[in-house]
Amino acid sequence: MAAPHPLPPDRIGAQKAALRARMLALRAALNPAAGAVLAEHVLRDVSFPPASKIAGVWPLPGEIDLRPLWYALHERGHGVLLPHTPPRGEQLVFRLWHPACRMVRERFGTERPDGEPGTPDIIFVPLLAFDRRGHRVGYGGGYYDHTLAAHPNTPAIGFGFAAQEVAEIPAAEHDRLLSAIFTEAGSVPLTRAISDGAPWWTRTTDP
């Protein structure tokens, strides 16, 4: 049986745009406070290296709210980095956050800290849709595509609502697979192996 031909870029873009619109409408009925439960799953299942720097995101309106995770990681001695959005076509700049820092109004209705830039050891990636291969659809600006391409060896953990899962994301060959995905329902089993063994950042024993 012949292998299927990959979709041309314009068709992939059109399919992603339609999926993006559908998921934004679906998300409007969901509760961002579910992020508190999602944070509990992450803290249970992910073994963060001591004093590691974790890149997160301050929530956009309607986005699942992972601020409880950022506070918990800060209390455990990790550096929490939040993105400073550059012009379109560039990778995100991550700046150090702490609970008492000054927040600056950002583009697209979010906020970012007025802190020093830092390099993340793990990147949390917001999702509008995902599948169990580890593909994602974001907001269409390309910021995380450029950022993940610039950090090819950094684990990328997607997060969103369980209802944002779809059977298959239209993907191009250059689209990077996520290392893991979490929702308020827990860790999403992926259909392909990350590596020959368990990823170093996954908890395999009780804390």
XYZ file of all heavy atoms in Angstrom, residues 2-41:
286
model
N 0.609 2.162 -0.891
C 1.430 3.359 -1.012
C 1.212 4.277 0.180
O 0.103 4.381 0.722
C 1.077 4.108 -2.303
N 2.294 4.936 0.614
C 2.190 5.889 1.720
C 1.377 7.092 1.271
O 1.458 7.516 0.116
C 3.585 6.330 2.158
N 0.559 7.676 2.182
C -0.237 8.836 1.802
C 0.647 10.032 1.511
O 1.700 10.214 2.131
C -1.103 9.075 3.039
C -0.342 8.440 4.162
C 0.348 7.259 3.562
N 0.236 10.837 0.524
C 0.997 12.038 0.212
C 0.738 13.092 1.276
O -0.394 13.265 1.723
C 0.585 12.585 -1.160
C 0.957 11.674 -2.297
N 2.248 11.484 -2.684
C 0.184 10.896 -3.110
C 2.286 10.632 -3.713
N 1.043 10.258 -3.976
N 1.793 13.810 1.713
C 1.576 14.868 2.701
C 0.719 15.987 2.116
O 0.765 16.265 0.917
C 2.999 15.351 3.011
C 3.822 14.942 1.820
C 3.203 13.671 1.316
N -0.071 16.610 2.970
C -0.908 17.715 2.518
C -0.037 18.916 2.172
O 0.975 19.172 2.829
C -1.896 18.107 3.622
C -3.009 17.109 3.947
C -3.788 17.583 5.155
C -3.934 16.922 2.755
N -0.420 19.691 1.149
C 0.313 20.916 0.853
C 0.135 21.928 1.969
O -0.879 21.894 2.696
C -0.323 21.402 -0.462
C -1.666 20.748 -0.502
C -1.526 19.445 0.209
N 1.097 22.839 2.142
C 1.049 23.790 3.259
C -0.233 24.619 3.321
O -0.734 24.910 4.410
C 2.276 24.674 3.015
C 3.216 23.806 2.255
C 2.354 22.953 1.381
N -0.784 25.018 2.163
C -1.985 25.852 2.198
C -3.177 25.079 2.750
O -4.010 25.623 3.491
C -2.299 26.424 0.819
C -2.486 25.353 -0.253
O -1.985 24.229 -0.071
O -3.149 25.645 -1.263
N -3.249 23.772 2.458
C -4.344 22.962 3.000
C -4.168 22.725 4.493
O -5.137 22.740 5.250
C -4.439 21.636 2.257
C -5.050 21.747 0.854
C -5.451 20.387 0.330
N -6.448 19.738 1.182
C -6.824 18.461 1.038
N -6.267 17.704 0.099
N -7.724 17.934 1.845
N -2.919 22.505 4.916
C -2.665 22.352 6.353
C -3.059 23.634 7.077
O -3.722 23.601 8.122
C -1.179 22.019 6.610
C -0.863 20.608 6.095
C -0.855 22.120 8.093
C 0.599 20.237 6.211
N -2.675 24.782 6.532
C -3.009 26.054 7.154
C -4.506 26.278 7.249
O -5.013 26.740 8.281
N -5.237 25.927 6.206
C -6.686 26.108 6.204
C -7.344 25.185 7.227
O -8.273 25.589 7.943
C -7.240 25.846 4.810
N -6.872 23.946 7.308
C -7.444 23.006 8.269
C -7.144 23.434 9.709
O -8.000 23.332 10.593
C -6.913 21.600 8.009
C -7.446 20.980 6.722
C -6.954 19.553 6.522
O -6.321 18.967 7.402
N -7.224 18.992 5.360
N -5.938 23.940 9.940
C -5.604 24.418 11.284
C -6.451 25.638 11.652
O -6.892 25.772 12.802
C -4.119 24.755 11.377
C -3.207 23.552 11.483
C -1.767 23.970 11.727
C -0.863 22.773 11.969
N 0.538 23.173 12.250
N -6.687 26.523 10.703
C -7.488 27.720 10.978
C -8.916 27.340 11.348
O -9.513 27.902 12.283
C -7.479 28.652 9.768
N -9.484 26.369 10.638
C -10.845 25.923 10.954
C -10.895 25.260 12.326
O -11.825 25.488 13.117
C -11.334 24.964 9.877
N -9.885 24.448 12.638
C -9.819 23.789 13.939
C -9.635 24.812 15.053
O -10.245 24.714 16.126
C -8.673 22.783 13.942
C -8.462 21.961 15.216
C -9.714 21.182 15.581
C -7.275 21.021 15.034
N -8.816 25.818 14.795
C -8.577 26.879 15.775
C -9.879 27.598 16.122
O -10.196 27.820 17.300
C -7.541 27.840 15.191
C -6.960 28.841 16.149
C -5.839 29.615 15.466
N -4.682 28.768 15.216
C -4.176 28.529 14.014
N -4.729 29.062 12.932
N -3.117 27.756 13.879
N -10.655 27.938 15.114
C -11.919 28.637 15.345
C -12.893 27.764 16.133
O -13.581 28.232 17.055
C -12.531 29.056 14.012
N -12.938 26.485 15.788
C -13.853 25.567 16.487
C -13.466 25.421 17.948
O -14.324 25.404 18.840
C -13.847 24.213 15.773
C -14.720 23.159 16.432
C -15.044 22.024 15.479
N -13.886 21.288 15.025
C -13.391 20.213 15.648
N -13.963 19.774 16.755
N -12.345 19.579 15.151
N -12.177 25.314 18.214
C -11.727 25.115 19.581
C -11.854 26.380 20.428
O -12.091 26.310 21.637
C -10.288 24.608 19.586
C -10.182 23.163 19.152
S -11.085 22.069 20.302
C -11.123 20.542 19.374
N -11.689 27.537 19.828
C -11.913 28.779 20.578
C -13.372 28.879 21.015
O -13.670 29.291 22.142
C -11.524 29.993 19.730
C -10.027 30.290 19.641
C -9.762 31.337 18.572
C -9.488 30.776 20.994
N -14.292 28.487 20.135
C -15.712 28.499 20.492
C -16.011 27.481 21.582
O -16.755 27.766 22.535
C -16.563 28.225 19.254
N -15.420 26.296 21.469
C -15.629 25.263 22.480
C -15.079 25.713 23.834
O -15.718 25.522 24.873
C -14.967 23.974 22.020
C -15.004 22.755 22.943
C -15.001 21.479 22.111
C -13.828 22.727 23.923
N -13.905 26.313 23.828
C -13.235 26.699 25.079
C -14.011 27.754 25.855
O -13.898 27.849 27.090
C -11.827 27.204 24.772
C -10.928 27.297 25.985
C -9.574 27.850 25.640
N -9.640 29.261 25.281
C -8.588 29.993 24.959
N -7.397 29.438 24.911
N -8.716 31.266 24.646
N -14.821 28.543 25.159
C -15.567 29.609 25.817
C -16.513 29.078 26.889
O -16.886 29.808 27.812
C -16.342 30.415 24.781
N -16.896 27.801 26.782
C -17.818 27.213 27.755
C -17.089 26.490 28.886
O -17.743 25.931 29.776
C -18.760 26.242 27.050
N -15.757 26.479 28.881
C -14.983 25.727 29.868
C -14.481 26.644 30.973
O -14.400 27.865 30.805
C -13.823 25.013 29.172
C -14.233 24.085 28.024
C -13.001 23.477 27.368
C -15.173 22.986 28.517
N -14.109 26.050 32.089
C -13.750 26.819 33.282
C -12.233 26.904 33.442
O -11.592 25.881 33.734
C -14.368 26.168 34.519
C -14.141 26.981 35.785
O -13.529 28.042 35.763
N -14.641 26.476 36.904
N -11.639 28.094 33.308
C -10.187 28.219 33.461
C -9.664 27.750 34.813
O -8.499 27.360 34.932
C -9.950 29.720 33.269
C -11.099 30.187 32.436
C -12.269 29.375 32.899
N -10.524 27.764 35.856
C -10.087 27.349 37.193
C -9.714 25.874 37.249
O -9.106 25.426 38.229
C -11.174 27.655 38.215
N -10.033 25.103 36.195
C -9.610 23.706 36.143
C -8.093 23.579 36.136
O -7.551 22.490 36.365
C -10.196 23.025 34.905
N -7.401 24.672 35.905
C -5.947 24.652 35.939
C -5.378 24.257 37.294
O -4.264 23.737 37.377
N -6.143 24.475 38.377
C -5.663 24.073 39.700
C -5.529 22.557 39.793
O -4.564 22.034 40.367
C -6.611 24.594 40.778
N -6.478 21.826 39.195
C -6.404 20.363 39.180
C -5.286 19.910 38.243
O -4.540 18.971 38.551
C -7.754 19.764 38.761
C -7.684 18.240 38.704
C -8.851 20.208 39.721
N -5.170 20.565 37.097
C -4.096 20.239 36.159
C -2.737 20.388 36.840
O -1.846 19.549 36.687
C -4.195 21.139 34.924
C -3.409 20.740 33.674
C -3.987 21.446 32.447
C -1.938 21.071 33.786
N -2.576 21.470 37.616
C -1.314 21.699 38.321
C -0.991 20.552 39.275
O 0.172 20.131 39.389
C -1.381 23.018 39.086
N -2.004 20.024 39.950
C -1.781 18.896 40.857
C -1.261 17.673 40.103
O -0.371 16.957 40.595
C -3.082 18.554 41.584
C -3.545 19.633 42.568
C -4.882 19.302 43.200
O -5.435 18.212 42.883
O -5.374 20.104 44.000
N -1.806 17.428 38.925
C -1.325 16.292 38.121
C 0.139 16.475 37.733
O 0.939 15.528 37.792
C -2.175 16.143 36.859
C -3.584 15.719 37.104
N -3.905 14.580 37.807
C -4.772 16.276 36.728
C -5.227 14.444 37.864
N -5.765 15.464 37.215
